[in-house]
Amino acid sequence: MKKPKRATAAKAKKGRKTSGSRTKTAPTRARSSAPSRAATAGADISKATIRGLRMKLTQALRRVAELEAAADTDFLLDIPNRRGFVRELQRAVAYMKRYRASGALIVLDVDRLKPINDSFGHAAGDEVLKAIATTLSRQIRASDVVGRLGGDEFALLLWNLSEADAKAKAAMFEQAIDDLSFTFRGQQVMAGASAGVALLGAQSDATRALEEADAAMYVRKAHRRHEPRIRLVNS
C-alpha cells in the first residue's frame, strides 16, 4: 500500500511543477505583447530625426538650385550670362532637331562702349548696358531669350522666324540701340550696335551657330564704320 502513496506524491509534485511553470510564463507573455515606453520613445526620436534630415535635404537642394541659377545669370543685368545662354541655345537646338522647329540666333555687339568707359568711367558703361538689356528684353516674346555673352556682346534666341524676319529683327534691334541717348557729366552720349544673324533648324549645332552669327556681326560692324564712333555734345 506504500507504493501507491509514493506514486500519488510524485504526481502531486509534478502537478506543482507544471502549475508553477505556468504561473511564471504568464507575466512574460503579458510583457511581450505591449511595447515598452523606451521603445516608443526611441521610435518617436527616430521619426523626428528623419523629418529633420528631410527638411535639411530640401533646404540644401533649394540652395543648390539657387546657386546654379546664379551661375547662369549675369549679376549686373539679371539676364542669362554666356553659360546660361549657351545652355538655353543647346536645349533649343535639341528641341528643333526632334520636332523640326526653326528659329534664329542674333549676336549683337555694342559699337562704342569702350570710348564711353574711357571718357566717363565704367559706371557710365554699366548704365548703357542696363539700358540696352532692358530695350532688347522689351522687344522679344516670352518664349525668346536674351543673354549677355560677355563684355559688350549680347545674344538673342528667337523662335519661328524666317531668314527675312530674322534680318528685319536684327535691324530693328540695331535701330533701337542707336536711338538710345545718355547724359554723362553734362554731355549727351549716343551708343550703337551691330548685329549678325544665324538661322537655326533641325541641322543646327549650337557652337557653330554662335560662330556664324559672330562672324556675320563683324561683317556688319565693318559696314557701319562710317558712322560716328561716339558723339559728345554739350547739353
Side-chain angles (χ1 to χ4, degrees):
M1 297 299 294
K2 290 182 180 179
K3 289 183 179 180
K5 288 183 180 180
R6 290 178 182 177
T8 304
K11 289 181 180 180
K13 186 177 180 181
K14 185 177 180 180
R16 286 197 298 272
K17 288 182 179 180
T18 304
S19 177
S21 62
R22 290 177 181 173
T23 305
K24 291 178 181 179
T25 56
T28 303
R29 292 179 181 175
R31 285 196 301 270
S32 62
S33 62
S36 66
R37 293 182 179 179
T40 303
D44 292 340
I45 292 173
S46 298
K47 290 179 180 179
T49 302
I50 292 172
R51 285 196 299 268
L53 291 174
R54 285 176 177 172
M55 184 178 298
K56 289 181 179 180
L57 177 60
T58 301
Q59 293 173 348
L61 292 175
R62 187 182 299 115
R63 181 58 178 162
V64 169
E66 291 173 353
L67 291 174
E68 287 180 347
D72 288 345
T73 303
D74 186 274
F75 72 94
L76 176 65
L77 307 181
D78 196 28
I79 59 176
N81 56 18
R82 173 179 284 273
R83 181 175 182 268
F85 185 85
V86 169
R87 179 175 295 181
E88 291 294 329
L89 179 60
Q90 290 171 339
R91 289 174 179 171
V93 169
Y95 181 92
M96 292 175 186
K97 287 181 178 180
R98 182 172 182 178
Y99 296 103
R100 299 292 175 179
S102 62
L105 171 66
I106 297 177
V107 170
L108 188 148
D109 188 80
V110 182
D111 288 333
R112 298 183 287 271
L113 186 64
K114 187 178 185 302
I116 292 174
N117 283 331
D118 293 342
S119 299
F120 305 104
H122 287 278
D126 290 347
E127 185 175 333
V128 173
L129 291 173
K130 290 177 182 178
I132 291 174
T134 300
T135 299
L136 295 175
S137 298
R138 287 175 177 172
Q139 298 190 45
I140 62 174
R141 298 161 295 184
S143 58
D144 299 333
V145 181
V146 57
R148 183 187 182 189
L149 299 182
D152 54 2
E153 195 169 58
F154 292 81
L156 299 106
L157 169 62
L158 309 175
W159 288 87
N160 301 321
L161 288 181
S162 65
E163 182 176 2
D165 290 338
K167 291 181 177 179
K169 275 283 189 181
M172 183 185 71
F173 293 143
E174 285 183 350
Q175 188 61 51
I177 295 173
D178 288 345
D179 290 343
L180 292 176
S181 178
F182 306 89
T183 301
F184 302 119
R185 300 175 190 168
Q187 293 181 310
Q188 186 181 12
V189 178
M190 311 295 289
S194 300
V197 178
L199 297 180
L200 300 174
Q203 305 303 319
S204 296
D205 174 79
T207 301
R208 185 174 177 181
L210 277 170
E211 293 173 351
E212 291 177 357
D214 199 55
M217 179 271 294
Y218 279 108
V219 171
R220 175 60 178 159
K221 185 180 283 289
H223 291 165
R224 287 168 55 92
R225 285 177 180 171
H226 66 280
E227 298 182 2
R229 290 178 178 273
I230 184 170
R231 269 192 273 171
L232 304 177
V233 181
N234 291 331
S235 58

